[in-house]
Amino acid sequence: MSSVIERQNPADGDPGDAAGPVNAGSFDMRRVLHRETHSSRAAAAGIAAVLVVLVSLYALLESAVRAIGQPPWLIDPQSAAERIVALPSGVPPLLLGVTGAVVTAAGLFFFLSAILPGRRARHLLEEPRVAVVVDDEVIASALARRARLAANVTPEQVMVVVSQRQAVVNVRPTSGVPVSENAVREAVEDELRAMAPIPLPAVRVNLAESGVIGA
């Protein structure tokens, strides 16, 4: 999948008003490209908000029940606070371990969601008037074709994996037919320079020690 986003041309419009619209357009373009290349944190934020609301509503309910002199709905807030302070006494080790693991996993999920960049498997292809957002699978397909032609093998003998910083080319040569690792690397690097993805991945070529029997 790929997306094409038209850029604003600074030459369009009134030169006297160029500074404001151009800067605003550039800022909007950066925001659009950031949304296209980074995953949204709305899901994690929504889950955190729902959990906070539920805990707050439950605490409010228990406080209201206690204020009117009725028995607690699930557990008395004061009793819950005393049990938390008294931890780990009075709690089976297995239950304590499972609870700790769940709380740690939840905390780690929200912590990593907050600090990690959350990049999608996409690259930008810069053009003068448009910004093209391309999935890494599309780039990998193009690189696999160039590697296949350079190695003179079938499509099934080449597999390319593209990440943000690296393009790994795995080639299984045909038995008895030598394959030049440098030729494959140069062909893939030439294709990458022509595509000019941002950021530009480094190329690594892996030649399998065992070949396949040619048809």
Side-chain angles (χ1 to χ4, degrees), residues 8-15 18 22 129:
Q8 289 192 357
N9 189 352
D12 296 339
D14 187 0
V22 169
R129 288 186 59 87

Side-chain angles (χ1 to χ4, degrees), residues 1-6 27-41 117-125 130-136 164 198:
M1 187 195 79
S2 62
S3 303
V4 180
I5 305 169
E6 186 176 0
F27 177 73
D28 290 341
M29 178 58 65
R30 287 196 299 267
R31 291 184 60 185
V32 171
L33 294 179
H34 187 274
R35 286 199 302 266
E36 290 290 329
T37 55
H38 291 73
S39 58
S40 174
R41 292 182 171 86
R119 288 184 175 273
R120 296 182 179 179
R122 295 177 179 178
H123 276 78
L124 298 177
L125 304 184
V130 298
V132 183
V133 182
V134 182
D135 283 351
D136 288 349
Q164 279 292 314
I198 301 174

Side-chain angles (χ1 to χ4, degrees), residues 58-59 61-64 66 72 75-84:
Y58 172 71
L61 173 63
E62 291 289 10
S63 299
R66 179 179 175 82
I75 184 172
D76 182 68
Q78 184 175 355
S79 300
E82 292 174 354
R83 290 186 181 181
I84 293 175

Side-chain angles (χ1 to χ4, degrees), residues 114-177:
I115 65 172
L116 292 180
R119 288 184 175 273
R120 296 182 179 179
R122 295 177 179 178
H123 276 78
L124 298 177
L125 304 184
E126 286 285 353
E127 296 291 339
R129 288 186 59 87
V130 298
V132 183
V133 182
V134 182
D135 283 351
D136 288 349
E137 293 181 0
V138 178
I139 299 177
S141 178
L143 298 183
R145 179 178 179 276
R146 285 297 301 270
R148 174 176 62 84
L149 295 177
N152 192 25
V153 295
T154 63
E156 293 77 14
Q157 295 173 244
V158 178
M159 184 180 69
V160 178
V161 179
V162 177
S163 62
Q164 279 292 314
R165 300 293 180 180
Q166 194 173 54
V168 180
V169 183
N170 300 301
V171 180
R172 292 192 64 191
T174 303
S175 297
V177 180

